[in-house]
Amino acid sequence: MPADALLFSNSRPPGAQVPFAHAAEPLRAHLGGRTLWFAAWAGDDLDTYSGWVGDALRDVLGDLDVRGLHREADPAATIRDADPDRETVFVGGGNTFRLRRRTGDNGVLAALRDRGDLRYAGASAGSNLACPTIMTTNDMPIVDPGGFDAVGRIPVQINPHYLDPDPHSTHRGETREERIAEFHQENAVAVVGLREGAWLLHHQETLTLDGYTARLFRRGHEPVELAAGTDLSWLLATPTS
Amino acid sequence: MPADALLFSNSRPPGAQVPFAHAAEPLRAHLGGRTLWFAAWAGDDLDTYSGWVGDALRDVLGDLDVRGLHREADPAATIRDADPDRETVFVGGGNTFRLRRRTGDNGVLAALRDRGDLRYAGASAGSNLACPTIMTTNDMPIVDPGGFDAVGRIPVQINPHYLDPDPHSTHRGETREERIAEFHQENAVAVVGLREGAWLLHHQETLTLDGYTARLFRRGHEPVELAAGTDLSWLLATPTS
């Protein structure tokens, strides 16, 4: 039984100013006083980003030990040796391709795959990394990721920052829904389009949507709207390829 | 001296209904009565897509011999053996990762690299494929492309369907400009954000923007607005890595 995974679309719903304020309760339960290793590699300036997230989480949760994993001499060893009762990992957002590349190169990706007993939290790119692959990211492929396979903590794909089509747009680029339909031309795994503010919680044999609404895409099915609080546990048994 | 490349953001500007109607003149000059091999691999249904593009081009240009390259027994050999005075290639849009994957697998990518003497036209994903890499695509990475390096007919990157930030949006995902800034955190090559309706024409030692406006992004420089008709030949001498 893998440990809990708490996977955010992003740090705040539309209109909200304070990051993670809407998610204080599940975050507090998830972290449970553990030291949080923050993986900042999706970002550009790793120290600044880690400091910002640490401050944001302490503003909402009070005292919390947040450490930048990139400051460790051997970040992969830190994950490999982590005590699941005292330590947990949070993978931050930014560019998913850069995150996949750097964690592939430094061994953190492999360590995270091996440590399914360690609680995992992620936001945006960090949530994509918890999926079977990074293929449902919205990010620009600014570096070769060295492979599209990811940590696979859940057997469904997340599309973070899910965006509804704008009926007034004259833009001819694909809508998000069209992009996910393209994904299903090539892949069978289900995709949860997490609108901003939404998250998935994988706890034991349950998978729950909360925080905001989402849209579920399955190959060969019409998309379905999901309300906050929807039980998605049945998705844990759907095929991933 | 490579042959001309005519690289469209997409098939029509905002509000226009008839594909390529705004670009009849440069298309007619570029094709010059040649047989057009249409590369549909970015799309899903290759026959339907090739037929649609053939009809669209004939509606605007009159009689034109358009053939689906995917119908050839050995598409790479067709490119390798093409007569540059009588044949030309047009790479269509769709999903850039799928296009890169399929043309890498079937040898068309390598053949296009070797046939710089063959005129090249592209739209959207097909324009991305003419760049040094596919890294400035907007598409979802629905398949592993098998590498990010592309045909390299021009030494600059195109971002097709370039979209200006929406000042009224509450969406927290990156704007296009922010995504291109991320690209420049990792890469030095210049990026031309081609708004819909715009194209680049590479002719001998000149590179010209036309059809619509664009926005130029260079590492370490503020973005610059470009009017239709701007001479960008100086970009041909800028570093690509």
Side-chain angles (χ1 to χ4, degrees):
Chain A
M1 184 81 65
D4 289 6
L6 180 60
L7 305 172
F8 294 95
S9 173
N10 61 316
S11 61
R12 49 198 156 177
Q17 294 306 315
V18 181
F20 299 114
H22 72 305
E25 197 179 320
L27 267 171
R28 189 173 285 117
H30 183 79
L31 300 177
R34 292 170 178 83
T35 290
L36 188 156
W37 291 105
F38 184 69
W41 288 289
D44 184 34
D45 181 330
L46 306 188
D47 282 339
T48 302
Y49 185 26
S50 294
W52 181 88
V53 168
D55 290 345
L57 288 172
R58 277 186 295 268
D59 281 350
V60 169
L61 302 174
D63 192 39
L64 184 69
D65 183 18
V66 180
R67 303 186 194 181
L69 191 51
H70 68 283
R71 304 291 303 257
E72 294 291 285
D74 184 348
T78 299
I79 295 298
R80 277 199 307 272
D81 300 339
D83 176 349
D85 293 326
R86 296 171 177 273
E87 295 165 83
T88 179
V89 64
F90 193 124
V91 184
N95 184 284
T96 309
F97 294 88
R98 181 157 60 190
L99 174 64
R100 172 63 181 76
R101 177 66 195 224
R102 290 173 172 173
T103 56
D105 286 350
N106 67 17
V108 166
L109 180 69
L112 287 171
R113 282 185 188 135
D114 290 343
R115 293 301 308 270
D117 62 321
L118 207 60
R119 290 191 177 191
Y120 183 114
S124 196
S127 292
N128 273 130
L129 199 72
C131 299
T133 71
I134 62 166
M135 290 184 181
T136 49
T137 178
N138 311 304
D139 293 336
M140 188 173 273
I142 60 172
V143 293
D144 191 323
F148 281 14
D149 53 319
V151 175
R153 285 291 290 258
I154 58 171
V156 300
Q157 291 289 135
I158 287 172
N159 178 249
H161 302 274
Y162 181 75
L163 198 58
D164 293 288
D166 174 359
H168 304 298
S169 176
T170 60
H171 190 247
R172 297 272 182 190
E174 292 88 350
T175 65
R176 193 69 63 80
E177 183 157 328
E178 288 167 346
R179 295 183 190 284
I180 295 170
E182 280 185 350
F183 174 81
H184 279 141
Q185 290 164 2
E186 304 288 341
N187 304 277
V189 56
V191 180
V192 181
L194 285 181
R195 293 194 180 88
E196 298 192 323
W199 66 78
L200 290 181
L201 174 62
H202 183 203
H203 170 66
Q204 297 180 354
E205 288 167 359
T206 68
L207 183 70
T208 311
L209 168 71
D210 220 331
Y212 206 79
T213 62
R215 194 162 171 86
L216 174 63
F217 302 88
R218 291 168 68 213
R219 191 181 215 175
H221 297 258
E222 287 296 307
V224 175
E225 279 297 307
L226 305 174
T230 299
D231 181 353
L232 293 172
S233 306
W234 61 277
L235 277 178
L236 298 173
T238 51
T240 61
S241 61
Chain B
M1 182 82 65
D4 290 6
L6 181 60
L7 304 172
F8 294 94
S9 172
N10 61 319
S11 62
R12 49 199 155 178
Q17 294 306 314
V18 182
F20 299 115
H22 72 305
E25 199 180 320
L27 267 171
R28 190 172 285 117
H30 182 79
L31 300 176
R34 292 170 178 82
T35 290
L36 189 157
W37 291 106
F38 184 69
W41 289 288
D44 183 35
D45 181 330
L46 306 189
D47 282 339
T48 302
Y49 185 25
S50 295
W52 181 87
V53 169
D55 290 345
L57 289 172
R58 275 185 295 268
D59 280 351
V60 169
L61 302 175
D63 192 39
L64 185 69
D65 183 19
V66 180
R67 302 186 194 179
L69 192 49
H70 68 281
R71 304 291 303 258
E72 294 291 285
D74 184 348
T78 299
I79 296 297
R80 278 199 307 273
D81 299 339
D83 176 350
D85 293 327
R86 295 171 178 274
E87 295 167 81
T88 179
V89 64
F90 192 124
V91 185
N95 185 283
T96 309
F97 294 88
R98 181 157 60 188
L99 175 65
R100 173 62 180 78
R101 177 67 194 223
R102 291 172 172 173
T103 56
D105 286 351
N106 68 15
V108 166
L109 180 68
L112 287 171
R113 283 185 187 134
D114 290 343
R115 292 302 307 271
D117 62 321
L118 207 61
R119 290 190 177 191
Y120 182 115
S124 197
S127 293
N128 273 130
L129 200 72
C131 299
T133 71
I134 61 166
M135 290 184 181
T136 49
T137 179
N138 310 305
D139 292 336
M140 188 172 274
I142 61 172
V143 293
D144 190 322
F148 280 14
D149 54 319
V151 175
R153 285 290 292 257
I154 57 170
V156 300
Q157 291 289 135
I158 287 172
N159 178 250
H161 302 272
Y162 180 75
L163 199 57
D164 294 287
D166 174 0
H168 304 297
S169 175
T170 60
H171 190 247
R172 297 275 183 190
E174 292 87 349
T175 65
R176 193 68 63 80
E177 183 158 330
E178 288 166 347
R179 294 184 191 283
I180 295 171
E182 281 184 349
F183 174 81
H184 280 140
Q185 289 165 4
E186 304 288 340
N187 305 277
V189 56
V191 180
V192 180
L194 284 181
R195 293 193 180 90
E196 297 190 325
W199 66 78
L200 290 181
L201 174 62
H202 183 203
H203 171 65
Q204 297 182 353
E205 288 166 359
T206 68
L207 184 70
T208 311
L209 168 71
D210 220 331
Y212 207 78
T213 62
R215 195 163 170 86
L216 175 64
F217 302 88
R218 290 168 69 211
R219 190 181 216 172
H221 298 258
E222 287 296 309
V224 175
E225 278 297 307
L226 305 174
T230 299
D231 180 354
L232 294 171
S233 306
W234 60 277
L235 277 178
L236 298 173
T238 52
T240 60
S241 60

